[in-house]
Amino acid sequence: VINVDGTKRRTLLEDKLPHIFGFTLLGDFIYWTDWQRRSIERVHKVKASRDVIIDQLPDLMGLKAVNVAKVVGESGQPPARGRSCHRLGHWGLEPVSFRPGTNPCADGNGGCSHLCFFTPRATKCGCPIGLELLSDMKTCIVPEAFLVFTSRAAIHRISLDTNNNDVAIPLTGVKEASALDFDVSNNHIYWTDVSLKTISRAFMNGSSVEHVIEFGLDYPEGMAVDWMGKNLYWADTGTNRIEVARLDGQFRQVLVWRDLDNPRSLALDPTKGYIYWTEWGGKPRIVRAFMDGTNCMTLVDKVGRANDLTIDYADQRLYWTDLDTNMIESSNMLGESRWVLPGGGTPGQERVVIADDLPHPFGLTQYSDYIYWTDWNLHSIERADKTSGRNRTLIQGHLDFVMDILVFHSSRQDGLNDCMHNNGQCGQLCLAIPSGHRCSCASHYTLDPSSRNCSRLGVRGPKLWMRDPQPRRAEGLGGSPRLGAMLPSPPPPSSAPTLTGGPSSVCPPPAPTAFLLFSQKCAISRMIPDDQRSPDLILPLHGLRNVKAIGYDPLDKFIYWVDGRQNIKRAKDDGTQASVPAGSAGVWRGSQGGVLPRGTGPGGL
């Protein structure tokens, strides 16, 4: 026991305490539960005398107590004698003491607009998450703009209007956040996690965390939100792909997978219909394409490892940090002739060096007349004039490994395009292009003749198409660890239903009618042979470990697989209805009476 100021520390008990679990205080005694002794015991906090209250109770854990000393009415006075009941202490309840008294927070909330905290030294005002305290230290406001940045297992926000700096957003389950973006209309923040291999989102106050994409990612380091079409774009350095899906993860499509060389950072201009990305491969470059993935062109070729692309939508300029030259540069968005002019320049110049004396710039964003960047060597966030790089200001110091940074403000997500109205009349994806928009479908589905709705993609014939040029054997489901089964061709695609009803439809189209399944160690993928429009896709199946063989039931549309522990498992291709029909030592009787003998190790399906 110790005084609250840290003085007069002394030991009450130190023996026969094998496994204390619950712990509470009631009156002059300290009570605890002991899991090993199966008892509730107490010790006098002054005399140190010990008693066993009850014993021989298995699995004792939590312990709390109540002491209602006085019940105070609304007037602040105890109720009349004879009109109230007093309650004895009870095990399992939080100790609460209601006593008459007051503090400055009880008088007009201490002058605070929202939260009032009384401390031994002073009264302090506070704000709920999402609001910020003004310089009067009493009034909370909704901030006009603030910085958001990722730092390992945390995402922070820094005010641009007040002195309320570096507040961690209370998010759960973040391990190594990398890319960052937001949707201001829904007050959502999105981030990639390169350790968990997921893309997640939550409200700006940290609530309702959910995974949007959690399969088929390897190292997703670039991401951008299409706030007009309500789509999410990301670049994965590990899979060497750029993909798109709805903001909730539906209708995922691989946009670009050919002629990519380590895609890194992404930026979108939905008003113009363009997507921009950087590549860190053998010949680093900055690329521009339509937002449907077509019409790719090299915008900037003589560049190092360009990182954290950001667009100044008002002046139509592109900014980036160069990790090889340690510079911040800017370019117009036309992709014509280029030159370097240190110290800024006049409007219309193609490529300009904004800053060339930085130790290690990494993250970058733009807002109003300024650019903001992070520096890994200085452990800082700084600000400077966006055209000249002058008037540098330190925003925050003592920061480690800030990966991405952005400004949360409505002006960063302004404008109009066709996809904002009823999803452009598209059944699945509405993708902006310079001339308007194009409806598109999830990978392995195709547009019907209306060019709006999507139907299943049927591919007939015996041909096999491999993802890589290495020859592989097709000797049944158990023959190769990577090759699965070509399914029999079903009725012609003309009889296939289509997805109708616009973006509000929730029923997905049926699976493709003929496809190839193949397994890797911890994944099962599907590909459409001879389909040059989309590559293979990893299916959203949970808990795959050492998959040895796979099979498919075309009648009930279940995927079956054998794992490293010789279990036979199954699920639908969307991950639902997962079950274990047969364990490693079990007997499984199928619908037709088939039996897997006990102890048989399944090697094929």
Side-chain angles (χ1 to χ4, degrees), residues 532-581:
Q532 300 302 311
R533 291 171 294 181
S534 59
D536 54 278
L537 296 177
I538 294 179
L539 299 177
L541 303 174
H542 288 272
L544 298 182
R545 294 290 185 273
N546 297 318
V547 178
K548 293 186 174 181
I550 52 176
Y552 189 77
D553 178 357
L555 183 62
D556 294 328
K557 296 182 173 52
F558 274 101
I559 297 173
Y560 290 80
W561 66 92
V562 179
D563 66 15
R565 296 184 178 180
Q566 306 302 318
N567 297 310
I568 297 178
K569 300 182 179 181
R570 72 175 185 179
K572 297 286 190 178
D573 64 359
D574 62 357
T576 61
Q577 301 184 43
S579 63
V580 184

Side-chain angles (χ1 to χ4, degrees), residues 448-467:
D448 65 13
S450 72
S451 296
R452 292 183 179 179
N453 299 312
C454 299
S455 59
R456 60 186 177 183
L457 181 62
V459 178
R460 305 169 68 88
K463 294 183 179 179
L464 300 183
W465 176 78
M466 301 296 178
R467 179 162 64 167

Side-chain angles (χ1 to χ4, degrees), residues 53-109:
I53 304 301
I54 191 170
D55 59 6
Q56 301 304 315
L57 292 177
D59 304 322
L60 278 172
M61 298 179 74
L63 180 70
K64 295 297 176 183
V66 160
N67 177 17
V68 181
K70 279 188 178 180
V71 180
V72 181
E74 293 182 359
S75 64
Q77 298 297 324
R81 184 171 297 179
R83 297 183 183 177
S84 64
C85 297
H86 294 270
R87 188 177 183 182
L88 297 176
H90 283 270
W91 315 120
L93 298 176
E94 181 71 31
V96 180
S97 180
F98 297 96
R99 299 180 183 273
T102 186
N103 67 43
C105 288
D107 183 11
N109 199 41

Side-chain angles (χ1 to χ4, degrees), residues 131-133 137 145-147 149 156-169 381 393-397 399:
L131 302 184
E132 294 181 354
L133 199 62
M137 304 306 292
F146 50 88
L147 284 169
F149 62 92
H156 297 249
R157 55 182 289 169
I158 295 178
S159 172
L160 296 180
D161 301 323
T162 70
N163 294 323
N164 188 14
N165 282 337
D166 196 6
V167 178
I169 299 174
I381 296 176
T393 304
L394 176 67
I395 302 297
Q396 183 81 357
L399 301 172

Side-chain angles (χ1 to χ4, degrees), residues 244-461:
V244 65
R246 298 288 288 172
L247 288 180
D248 60 3
Q250 288 194 88
F251 310 134
R252 178 174 173 178
Q253 181 192 94
V254 180
L255 275 185
V256 185
W257 73 99
R258 294 190 182 94
D259 301 320
L260 272 181
D261 198 354
N262 292 327
R264 171 75 184 205
S265 179
L266 283 181
L268 301 177
D269 188 356
T271 303
K272 305 291 185 180
Y274 288 113
I275 178 176
Y276 301 82
W277 70 84
T278 69
E279 294 182 13
W280 284 16
K283 295 181 178 180
R285 61 175 183 161
I286 299 175
V287 185
R288 185 187 74 183
F290 292 180
M291 286 177 63
D292 64 353
T294 62
N295 296 86
C296 298
M297 64 165 288
T298 299
L299 191 72
V300 180
D301 54 1
K302 296 178 181 179
V303 68
R305 290 175 297 162
N307 189 53
D308 232 1
L309 287 177
T310 187
I311 297 175
D312 180 350
Y313 296 105
D315 292 345
Q316 282 293 286
R317 293 194 67 82
L318 192 66
Y319 292 82
W320 66 91
T321 61
D322 192 315
L323 304 189
D324 292 325
T325 64
N326 289 328
M327 295 193 301
I328 296 177
E329 295 189 63
S330 171
S331 166
N332 71 28
M333 303 166 77
L334 301 177
E336 298 169 353
S337 59
R338 310 171 185 89
W339 63 86
V340 176
L341 181 63
T346 60
Q349 289 176 334
E350 175 59 29
R351 183 171 171 182
V352 175
V353 174
I354 305 300
D356 59 0
D357 58 346
L358 305 176
H360 194 350
F362 196 85
L364 179 72
T365 191
Q366 180 272 331
Y367 170 65
S368 187
D369 296 328
Y370 300 99
I371 55 171
Y372 299 79
W373 71 91
T374 68
D375 194 296
W376 276 19
N377 283 9
L378 299 177
H379 307 282
S380 64
I381 296 176
E382 298 185 55
R383 183 186 77 179
D385 184 271
K386 69 180 182 180
T387 58
S388 66
R390 300 188 181 96
N391 301 319
R392 293 187 188 176
T393 304
L394 176 67
I395 302 297
Q396 183 81 357
H398 309 290
L399 301 172
D400 290 325
F401 301 110
V402 176
M403 297 296 296
D404 201 2
I405 184 173
L406 57 84
V407 172
F408 191 100
H409 189 262
S410 59
S411 66
R412 295 289 302 162
Q413 295 190 344
D414 205 355
L416 295 170
N417 71 18
D418 294 348
C419 294
M420 296 183 68
H421 305 290
N422 197 26
N423 200 43
Q425 302 297 320
C426 299
Q428 290 192 3
L429 297 169
C430 180
L431 305 180
I433 58 177
S435 60
H437 75 286
R438 184 177 71 85
C439 296
S440 190
C441 303
S443 292
H444 298 177
Y445 301 93
T446 185
L447 283 172
D448 65 13
S450 72
S451 296
R452 292 183 179 179
N453 299 312
C454 299
S455 59
R456 60 186 177 183
L457 181 62
V459 178
R460 305 169 68 88

